[in-house]
Amino acid sequence: MLRKTKALSCCLLVLPLIGTARKAASEVSAQAFRATSRDERRQELSGELREGSDLLRDARYSEAQIRLEKTYAAALRAGDADIAARAQGKVGGCQFALRQYRPALRSFFAARRLAQSAGDASAAAALDLNIASLYSEMGDVESAAQWMTGKLDSLSGPDRAEMLPKFLIQMATLRARQDRMPQALDLFRQGIDAADSAGDSSLYLYAMGWNRLGEEFLKRGDLPQAEPPLLEAYRVR
């Protein structure tokens, strides 16, 4: 009788172990399924973001805005702050193009907060440029320059190398509009040099820097000074 009791006890000890193993396997399967679902959903959201971006690039701003707002809302529901930030930033771009300046500013600020929460320094920096451009377009050059000040310091590594020419050329443009031409000329030189050093990937920035410099001289009626930078911008386009 004692042997039967011991055997029964052993069986009882084994059964919970079998149940635990099955439960662990089930949890692993559930986690794998959730991860696969997240990946698939992110791919869907990325596809929707590309479609909206294509509409924006084709200057179909109202259609793009509707598509991107849906992507933004879906990304928020999915907890994907990265795609939500990029979608909302592009919504702001549509509103900017449609001259809906105040809504665009709100969209850019919301997108920037999301980009920061997602740890996307590159997207946040691009939004800083958009915010400064929008302030400038609204005629508030002082706010634009103030917004840009110190923003480059938060970038490092590849993000800094990518954004440096854009930041310098934008700051140069703002300083010129503040009638601080000596400082603007130095920033234009730095921005153009940085774009030139980056190679073909930043060729459009190289041309932009020369073009903006020429335009600033034209605004001041200085055609002899404007001609060389405008010709260089035309040459590389």
Side-chain angles (χ1 to χ4, degrees):
M1 187 69 180
L2 183 59
R3 287 175 187 170
K4 288 183 180 179
T5 304
K6 286 183 178 180
L8 182 59
S9 298
C10 289
C11 291
L12 291 173
L13 285 171
V14 170
L15 287 172
L17 291 175
I18 294 172
T20 301
R22 286 175 178 167
K23 184 179 179 182
S26 176
E27 288 176 354
V28 169
S29 297
Q31 289 172 359
F33 176 78
R34 285 194 295 269
T36 301
S37 298
R38 282 196 300 270
D39 291 342
E40 289 175 350
R41 186 59 183 136
R42 182 172 175 81
Q43 287 178 3
E44 290 174 8
L45 290 169
S46 296
E48 293 171 15
L49 182 62
R50 279 193 300 273
E51 290 173 6
S53 300
D54 288 344
L55 291 170
L56 174 57
R57 188 166 48 251
D58 292 341
R60 296 163 63 181
Y61 302 124
S62 296
E63 292 176 68
Q65 183 176 343
I66 293 169
R67 181 70 60 85
L68 290 162
E69 283 175 343
K70 289 180 180 177
T71 304
Y72 166 69
L76 280 183
R77 288 194 298 271
D80 196 322
D82 176 35
I83 291 181
R86 292 177 185 274
Q88 185 69 350
K90 291 179 185 294
V91 167
C94 295
Q95 293 165 328
F96 194 167
L98 293 168
R99 299 178 182 273
Q100 300 169 357
Y101 294 148
R102 289 296 174 185
L105 197 59
R106 289 194 292 271
S107 293
F108 286 149
F109 281 137
R112 188 178 187 278
R113 286 192 295 272
L114 280 167
Q116 286 184 311
S117 71
D120 193 341
S122 180
L127 288 160
D128 284 329
L129 288 167
N130 289 340
I131 291 167
S133 296
L134 183 50
Y135 274 134
S136 182
E137 185 69 18
M138 293 166 68
D140 193 349
V141 177
E142 295 301 323
S143 291
Q146 185 176 358
W147 182 262
M148 289 286 289
T149 302
K151 291 295 190 295
L152 192 60
D153 296 339
S154 63
L155 294 173
S156 60
D159 289 331
R160 183 179 177 86
E162 178 190 351
M163 301 303 298
L164 182 62
K166 299 176 186 178
F167 267 76
L168 291 170
I169 291 168
Q170 179 74 352
M171 265 321 289
T173 304
L174 293 171
R175 292 305 184 213
R177 291 176 185 174
Q178 291 176 309
D179 289 323
R180 297 165 63 175
M181 277 305 286
Q183 192 174 0
L185 289 172
D186 184 52
L187 287 166
F188 271 124
R189 179 188 59 76
Q190 293 180 51
I192 290 167
D193 286 348
D196 191 27
S197 298
D200 291 345
S201 63
S202 293
L203 191 60
Y204 77 100
L205 288 171
Y206 178 83
M208 181 197 295
W210 283 116
N211 189 66
R212 287 198 183 180
L213 177 57
E215 286 177 345
E216 292 302 329
F217 281 126
L218 276 180
K219 288 177 185 177
R220 290 160 175 77
D222 193 342
L223 184 58
Q225 288 274 47
E227 188 174 6
L230 289 174
L231 286 174
E232 177 63 9
Y234 180 77
R235 182 187 70 80
V236 299
R237 278 178 172 168

